[in-house]
Amino acid sequence: MGSFAYLPLERVVFGQPAAQAAAEEAARIGARKVFIVSSKSLSRKTAAIREIQQALGGRYAGLFDECIAHTPWPSVIAAAQAVRAAQPDLILTVGGGTPIDTVKILQICLAHGLTRIEDLDTQRASTKPSPVRQVAIPTTLSGAEFSNLGGGTDLRTRIKHSFTGADIGPRSVILDPAITLHTPEWLWLSTGIRGVDHAVEALCSVDAHPYCDGLALHALRLFAEGLPRTKAAPQDLAARLSCQQASWLAASTIARVNYGASHGIGHALGAAADVPHGLTSCIMLPHVMRYNEPATAAKQKLIAKALGQAQKSAAEAVAALVRALGQPSTLREAGVKREQLPGIAAASMKNRWVLSNPQPLRSEADVLRLLEAAW
C-alpha cells in the first residue's frame, strides 16, 4: 500500500538559452511583474542575471541576491520582505538549491503573513495556496527545483528544518546547460553526487516503489556517463544537459519516498559544520550504503549495475565515482573537527530520514560510528 503525489509542475523546458526561455515562460504564464531571486555570485560576477533582466524587459520588477548557503531563516525573512515590497506576480529563481529553497520558504511566509524568525518555529507546512509562484532556472545538480520540500537552518540551534507546501515548488523549470558554465567545478560535480544520493536512497527506501525505482535507475545510468564527461570536458554542453536530465529524474523522488541516513546526516552536517550538501553526499553515501547492505542487498546490486560497475559492491562503485570526480571522501577534508561529531550525531537523531533508514539507526552511538568511519 502507498501513494504518489504529483507536483503542480506544468513544464520542464530543456536545452534553450535561459534568458529566452525565461521571457517566454513569463509571457506564457501572463506575468506582468517578475521578481528575480539569485545567488550573489551569479548576479554580481557574471552577466547571466543581466541578460535575463534584459530579456524580461518591462516585466522585470526587482532583484534579491542575498541568499546564503544552508538557507538561514534571517535570509528567508529578508527575501520575503523584498518580495512583499515589489509585489510581483511571478518569482524567477536562478541558482542552486539555496535560492530555490529560500523562495519555497518565503512563499510560506507570504501565504501565512510570517514576518519574524520566530514565526518559522511553528509554521513549517503551508495550508494555503502560495500568493506568488516561482519558475526556476537551476545552475547545480542538487534537484531542489523538482520538489516541494525546502530546507532552512535555525541559526539559534544550528538545526536544519524542512518546510513544505502543496505549491511551493516551481511552476516550471528551465534547464539550460550553458548557464551552468558559471558554476564552480566542485559545486557542479559534488551536487551531481547529491543527485546520485537521491537515486540511491530512493531505490533503497523503506517505502520504495516501481515508479521511483525507474526514475532512479535511469538517473544513475545518465550520471555515470555524464559526470565524468563534464569533468573531462567542462564545455561539453550535451554532457551537462544529460546530467541536468539525470538530476530531473533523481530529484523527482524527493519527498515521494522516505530517504535514509545519508540525507539525514547530511542535513545535520550542513547546519552544524557548514558542509555543502553535495560534499556530505560524496562523503557519507558510501558509508551509509555499506551499513545498509544487509537490508538492501538486492537493490544495491541494481545500483552497481546501473553505474556500470556490476563487478563491484554498490558502495565501492559510488566511492570510485567520487574519487574519479576529484571530490573529498572524508569529513576531515571537508573541514569537520572530530570534536564536532557527537553533536552532529545528536542532531542527526532528530532528522526524519535518519529515523527511516532501511537498516535502523537506533541511537546516537550508531550514528557516531558512521561519522567516525567517515571522518
Side-chain angles (χ1 to χ4, degrees):
M1 295 178 65
S3 65
F4 183 90
Y6 286 90
L7 297 174
L9 171 62
E10 296 172 5
R11 299 207 322 159
V12 178
V13 179
F14 50 91
Q16 294 185 28
Q20 171 193 334
E24 290 176 358
E25 277 301 286
R28 181 186 72 85
I29 291 168
R32 294 173 298 163
K33 297 180 68 176
V34 181
F35 188 89
I36 298 175
V37 175
S38 79
S39 66
K40 186 183 298 183
S41 59
L42 198 63
S43 169
R44 304 183 189 185
K45 296 181 180 180
T46 79
I49 301 302
R50 185 167 62 253
E51 291 169 358
I52 293 170
Q53 291 171 349
Q54 292 170 350
L56 290 173
R59 288 188 171 91
Y60 172 64
L63 170 69
F64 180 88
D65 64 359
E66 296 285 347
C67 297
I68 299 171
H70 305 296
T71 322
W73 291 2
S75 69
V76 173
I77 297 297
Q81 290 171 340
V83 172
R84 282 193 186 97
Q87 297 185 320
D89 52 11
L90 182 68
I91 299 173
L92 181 67
T93 312
V94 189
T98 292
I100 293 169
D101 276 6
T102 297
V103 174
K104 289 177 184 175
I105 303 173
L106 79 78
Q107 287 174 276
I108 298 175
C109 293
L110 297 178
H112 290 269
L114 313 182
T115 59
R116 304 174 305 132
I117 294 168
E118 292 77 13
D119 295 335
L120 295 173
D121 283 326
T122 55
Q123 192 71 56
R124 303 214 181 114
S126 181
T127 58
K128 299 179 180 179
S130 296
V132 57
R133 296 286 304 279
Q134 66 168 314
V135 168
I137 303 175
T139 58
T140 73
L141 297 169
S142 69
E145 62 276 7
F146 292 110
S147 86
N148 63 341
L149 187 71
T153 302
D154 183 351
L155 295 181
R156 299 167 299 177
T157 61
R158 302 296 297 182
I159 292 176
K160 192 165 192 177
H161 297 279
S162 295
F163 295 80
T164 189
D167 64 356
I168 65 171
R171 183 170 175 174
S172 57
V173 175
I174 296 167
L175 301 178
D176 173 15
I179 200 171
T180 71
L181 293 172
H182 300 298
T183 305
E185 182 189 65
W186 74 268
L187 183 58
W188 174 258
L189 296 174
S190 68
T191 56
I193 298 298
R194 186 64 167 180
V196 170
D197 201 349
H198 294 328
V200 167
E201 294 217 309
L203 282 160
C204 295
S205 173
V206 292
D207 51 1
H209 54 74
Y211 185 80
C212 284
D213 285 0
L215 296 172
L217 282 170
H218 195 51
L220 291 173
R221 298 182 193 108
L222 293 176
F223 276 134
E225 179 187 7
L227 287 172
R229 282 175 60 193
T230 62
K231 170 70 173 176
Q235 302 294 319
D236 186 339
L237 295 185
R240 284 180 172 269
L241 181 58
S242 181
C243 289
Q244 288 182 304
Q245 292 171 328
S247 176
W248 173 10
L249 291 167
S252 294
T253 69
I254 298 174
R256 297 299 171 266
V257 291
N258 282 293
Y259 287 161
S262 181
H263 277 79
I265 294 172
H267 289 165
L269 282 165
D274 291 322
V275 183
H277 282 158
L279 297 186
T280 68
S281 291
C282 292
I283 296 163
M284 293 307 308
L285 181 57
H287 293 281
V288 172
M289 291 175 71
R290 292 185 190 101
Y291 179 82
N292 285 337
E293 208 274 339
T296 61
K299 287 292 183 69
Q300 291 208 29
K301 288 180 180 178
L302 297 177
I303 291 166
K305 184 177 179 180
L307 291 173
Q309 302 287 340
Q311 74 281 8
K312 296 180 179 178
S313 71
E316 180 50 37
V318 171
L321 180 59
V322 171
R323 289 193 299 270
L325 298 177
Q327 298 305 296
S329 57
T330 68
L331 293 175
R332 275 178 294 177
E333 292 176 80
V336 178
K337 296 179 175 60
R338 193 166 191 174
E339 57 267 28
Q340 292 178 289
L341 300 185
I344 293 166
S348 296
M349 288 303 295
K350 298 176 182 178
N351 187 282
R352 66 169 181 157
W353 283 337
V354 170
L355 301 179
S356 64
N357 194 61
Q359 182 77 359
L361 288 159
R362 303 188 188 281
S363 67
E364 293 176 19
D366 289 342
V367 178
L368 187 57
R369 281 189 286 273
L370 280 175
L371 289 169
E372 290 278 5
W375 192 81

